[in-house]
Amino acid sequence: MNLTHWQSTALALLSFAAGLVLHLRWHPLRQPLSDAWDCLRLHPALILFTAGAMLLATTLGNEKETIYSLHILNDWREALPLLAREALARLAVLPHALMVPWPLSCVVPLPLMFLTVRIWRWPYRYGERRPVLEQKCILIIVTLLSFAWLGMEGVSMRRMLPEEMETMKLALRYIFTALAAAGTQVWLVRFVMAWERPQKTDADGDAAAALEHAFARWQGVAWLAGFDLLWMSWRWWQANTPQSIGAWWWVELLLLFAALPVAVAAVPGTFWQQGATALRILRRSIVRLLMLAVTAIALRIVVQYTAAMAYALCAGAPFLRMIELPLSALVLAMLDCWLLLTALLLMLRHGFPRSSTSA
């Protein structure tokens, strides 16, 4: 059957809509899928922030949009493996970094300053024990470093920095990018917990309550940032050597520790205890997560195909490209948020006893 490019794109959109309805209606996990959609419907700002981070990363950051030619998109036998590989890589990243952390990490100095001031004023509010003087001094140093790094980023936009300062700037960028990813994910887990078990009737207070709980786990966030720095470095290395076998190890590492942000956000204790808890959460919810993964990969492939087809069709028209770029980002962000919220609900409800998630 010979179809035009626009007809193929329309069929892809219809397939996505039909698949969405069928999954919500007859999927074995229709209840958590529906609950996640309700949460997203009540908090649409999450989609806007995720799409905004995606657009910033594409236009200002190092994230490059995968471009497929119309020849590849018209041949499903050739396009399907590429789309499936991209979908799997993105789904592996979702539990660790829903929002693309760079250049979103440029706002990190503000919450760091806010956290440092509040810990000095109310030391018992943000931890089981009073932070020692060394910890407070480290927080001040890190906060000052973050503002110094932000200043270097601003100066580098106008002129070239000396080689030593450029190296320092890149090193600090990697560190604060990992910190942004860790803090965002811990906040998101606490956000889902606050929505599922609200302490206030006002839904707008969920974000503020989640931020307070994320601040209270600042030491766990710091350890989680170290883990994020590890896999991000691995990803950057693999991107420079695409033929290496490191890509599959990287995906397996992310999937193995998919529950680590949940454990850091929900369970008190040392980072090693939280790591062990993350593996237990994964073991208890693995069957449901695999069922969700089948749905997620299929939906992600269809949406990626639609976005890639729209990009290919609008490539020669700058005005259409200005419309397609934010629209594709919104659709992809909506799908990512929905799938991740569903996965978080599954891990929180089935990964450990409910009493453990009330901390």
Side-chain angles (χ1 to χ4, degrees):
M1 182 172 56
N2 295 325
L3 298 175
T4 65
H5 301 317
W6 289 105
Q7 288 173 331
S8 300
T9 305
L11 285 176
L13 286 171
L14 289 175
S15 300
F16 169 69
L20 180 63
V21 172
L22 291 175
H23 281 298
L24 278 175
R25 186 173 181 83
W26 290 297
H27 197 281
L29 301 176
R30 57 185 177 275
Q31 188 59 51
L33 283 167
S34 179
D35 292 342
W37 183 259
D38 289 340
C39 178
L40 201 59
R41 180 174 52 82
L42 293 174
H43 301 92
L46 184 60
I47 301 175
L48 296 178
F49 284 131
T50 304
M54 194 180 300
L55 287 173
L56 285 175
T58 303
T59 56
L60 302 177
N62 298 323
E63 293 286 331
K64 300 301 180 184
E65 191 173 1
T66 305
I67 300 175
Y68 299 95
S69 65
L70 287 174
H71 173 73
I72 294 177
L73 293 174
N74 285 330
D75 187 356
W76 271 98
R77 291 175 298 180
E78 187 175 359
L80 187 58
L82 300 175
L83 293 171
R85 191 179 302 116
E86 184 181 350
L88 181 60
R90 178 56 186 163
L91 293 175
V93 172
L94 271 185
H96 305 279
L98 169 65
M99 302 179 189
V100 184
W102 171 256
L104 186 65
S105 55
C106 290
V107 303
V108 164
L110 293 178
L112 272 177
M113 180 182 66
F114 189 64
L115 172 64
T116 302
V117 171
R118 292 176 74 87
I119 283 182
W120 275 87
R121 293 188 62 183
W122 300 290
Y124 291 106
R125 186 173 182 177
Y126 298 106
E128 297 180 356
R129 300 177 182 177
R130 180 187 179 94
V132 297
L133 181 61
E134 291 79 2
Q135 292 176 324
K136 293 181 178 180
C137 292
I138 289 175
L139 274 175
I140 293 178
I141 293 172
V142 173
T143 303
L144 293 177
L145 274 176
S146 68
F147 279 101
W149 161 70
L150 192 59
M152 286 189 287
E153 291 285 356
V155 172
S156 65
M157 296 178 66
R158 292 188 173 186
R159 58 183 175 84
M160 290 290 295
L161 295 175
E163 184 177 354
E164 295 79 7
M165 291 189 65
E166 184 69 23
T167 302
M168 182 182 298
K169 183 199 75 174
L170 291 177
L172 291 174
R173 177 190 293 182
Y174 296 154
I175 292 172
F176 289 114
T177 297
L179 188 60
T184 302
Q185 289 304 98
V186 172
W187 171 84
L188 182 62
V189 175
R190 295 303 313 193
F191 177 77
V192 173
M193 294 172 65
W195 172 81
E196 189 176 22
R197 290 187 168 189
Q199 298 179 353
K200 299 179 180 179
T201 56
D202 184 10
D204 295 333
D206 293 345
L211 185 62
E212 284 290 312
H213 286 289
F215 280 166
R217 286 152 178 80
W218 65 273
Q219 297 183 51
V221 171
W223 282 102
L224 183 60
F227 172 81
D228 289 343
L229 185 61
L230 173 65
W231 71 259
M232 286 179 180
S233 302
W234 197 344
R235 183 185 185 186
W236 292 323
W237 168 77
Q238 189 274 328
N240 295 324
T241 55
Q243 302 301 322
S244 66
I245 60 175
W248 291 108
W249 292 353
W250 169 72
V251 170
E252 290 176 2
L253 176 71
L254 294 185
L255 293 177
L256 180 63
F257 290 98
L260 188 56
V262 177
V264 171
V267 181
T270 66
F271 186 70
W272 307 110
Q273 292 172 334
Q274 291 168 340
T277 301
L279 295 178
R280 288 195 294 268
I281 293 173
L282 189 64
R283 176 175 57 84
R284 293 167 181 165
S285 55
I286 186 64
V287 175
R288 294 175 177 84
L289 290 176
L290 288 176
M291 294 169 63
L292 177 64
V294 174
T295 298
I297 291 176
L299 289 176
R300 183 77 192 184
I301 287 174
V302 173
V303 175
Q304 286 176 183
Y305 172 80
T306 305
M309 180 65 76
Y311 179 92
L313 294 174
C314 299
F319 177 75
L320 293 178
R321 177 63 179 155
M322 292 176 59
I323 299 175
E324 179 272 333
L325 185 62
L327 184 60
S328 296
L330 281 173
V331 174
L332 290 170
M334 181 184 67
L335 180 62
D336 286 349
C337 292
W338 181 44
L339 294 175
L340 179 58
L341 291 181
T342 305
L344 292 180
L345 287 174
L346 289 174
M347 287 187 280
L348 289 171
R349 292 174 178 177
H350 305 284
F352 40 72
R354 288 181 176 270
S355 58
S356 300
T357 63
S358 61

